[in-house]
Amino acid sequence: MFNFDTHKIKIFTDGANLDSIIKLAKDDFIDGITTNPTLMRRSGVTNYMTFANSAVKASQGKSISLEVFSDNLDIMIDQARILSGLGKSVYVKIPITNSQGEPTSSVIKQLLNENIKVNITAVLSYSQIDECIRNLQGNSFAYISIFAGRIADTGLNPSLFIDYAINKLKDKHLNNVELIWASTREVYNIYEAAKVGCNIITAPPEIIKKIKLYNYDLNKLSLETVQMFKSDSDSAGYSIN
Ligand code: G3P
């Protein structure tokens, strides 16, 4: 759990580069790992199960979320059972709908009945948050991944969505359900997520690296920025005549 003076939040790494997962999972300030098929493809993963097995091993027993992708709801359940069987710390990512827009409520309920931990993913709207809450019970171990960056892309403030979800979880006493600020775009989102009381933020490694700049001296940062300009203009041999 990371403590920014007054606000606490768990930091997960979001990606599919195995070396990075191995390195970050060893860090105390990383509490878990998330990935998705797009990140896996982008990282050059060709065999889903080989990657999934290696990622679970690399995760050091920390929470790891792996995603199903079938459009058939029964096959989605089968995929979830297989992924969940890879380790106790596996949360199975179930998209809020399949790619045809069919709700996955029945899948989520079935998996929770089997005590499979789920991470309901690609949640963007208030009605989808309501749907997640409806599908969860007091004893459900689950995450809800709200895609804050994609919400922000539409001109809306993602913190309002997280705040809405936090209140709904409290009202229904869903004490084992944690909210994830997902689709993180910049390091400032970590402070926004912590401030609104989100439990977890998942961020790509290049954003996590910038946490070291927290409370950094701005005059020093300005000087380093100007030194970067100077070094690059020197290296490029620029002249202004
Ligand atoms: O955490 C979810 C993330 O991997 C999706 O992010 O950038 O595709 O919106 P993005």
Side-chain angles (χ1 to χ4, degrees), residues 122-137:
V123 175
L124 277 94
S125 67
Y126 287 113
S127 63
Q128 288 178 334
I129 294 171
D130 289 342
E131 191 185 319
C132 291
I133 305 287
R134 270 198 303 277
N135 290 331
L136 296 164
Q137 303 297 330

Side-chain angles (χ1 to χ4, degrees), residues 8 108 155 194 204:
K8 290 182 179 171
I108 293 163

